[in-house]
Amino acid sequence: MDGEAEFESGLFLDGEPTDVVFDALWVTYSQFWLALAAADRFVDVSTAIPAADSIATNGDAVGIPTRSSAGNVKVALSAWPATPPDGQGDLLDSSSIVVEGRELHLVNVEGREPGPVLVVEDDGPYEVRVWRSEPAGASTTEYFDIRVCRGPASG
């Protein structure tokens, strides 16, 4: 079984998200962001810069660190009605984001064409938890399991 199939097969064994999207993107400068997808609103990701293995937030975006300074990442982004079960890999951290417009998506440094959009139940505060899995075998692709649920982050 390849790394991607192994990652995806074990994602939701302990619960069912209300929405899930899969995305793959090229990242540089060891970071990417989960951000509001509102077309009518500018989201400044430059104030949510992650450090080392810690995520960062500015309320509109969550900065997520990668191990590689440049490379491919694959992400499972899911919405949950309540606190989700633990994800795949090592928990990096949890943070919060205030959603307006019910939609979230992933952004890289270069600014890319919009990718898949995760739809949450309502506007308001959400907790974001991020797990990272190491590349498998000869692969250099990092895998991220990002789970979003209603309510502010607890820590």
Side-chain angles (χ1 to χ4, degrees), residues 10-16 80 84-86 147:
L11 277 173
F12 307 121
L13 300 176
D14 295 329
E16 190 66 37
W80 296 78
D86 287 346
R147 298 182 181 204

Side-chain angles (χ1 to χ4, degrees), residues 10-121:
L11 277 173
F12 307 121
L13 300 176
D14 295 329
E16 190 66 37
T18 55
D19 190 22
V20 62
V21 295
F22 294 94
D23 200 357
L25 63 155
W26 175 260
V27 297
T28 55
Y29 301 100
S30 304
Q31 62 196 342
F32 66 101
W33 294 268
L34 172 66
L36 301 180
D40 62 343
R41 181 165 170 206
F42 173 73
V43 176
D44 183 9
V45 298
S46 69
T47 59
I49 303 299
D53 284 339
S54 295
I55 64 177
T57 188
N58 64 9
D60 291 341
V62 175
I64 302 166
T66 62
R67 287 209 186 273
S68 172
S69 61
N72 291 308
V73 298
K74 293 195 176 177
V75 180
L77 179 57
S78 56
W80 296 78
T83 302
D86 287 346
Q88 289 243 50
D90 297 320
L91 177 64
L92 292 183
D93 210 345
S94 65
S95 192
S96 40
I97 191 168
V98 179
V99 176
E100 294 178 21
R102 297 183 52 217
E103 296 180 339
L104 298 167
H105 68 145
L106 300 173
V107 179
N108 64 5
V109 169
E110 292 78 19
R112 65 182 203 145
E113 292 298 316
V117 172
L118 180 74
V119 179
V120 296
E121 286 183 25

Side-chain angles (χ1 to χ4, degrees), residues 108-142:
N108 64 5
V109 169
E110 292 78 19
R112 65 182 203 145
E113 292 298 316
V117 172
L118 180 74
V119 179
V120 296
E121 286 183 25
D122 285 308
D123 290 353
Y126 282 80
E127 181 178 13
V128 177
R129 293 183 180 182
V130 179
W131 286 266
R132 178 176 59 205
S133 296
E134 297 300 318
S139 172
T140 58
T141 300
E142 291 179 64

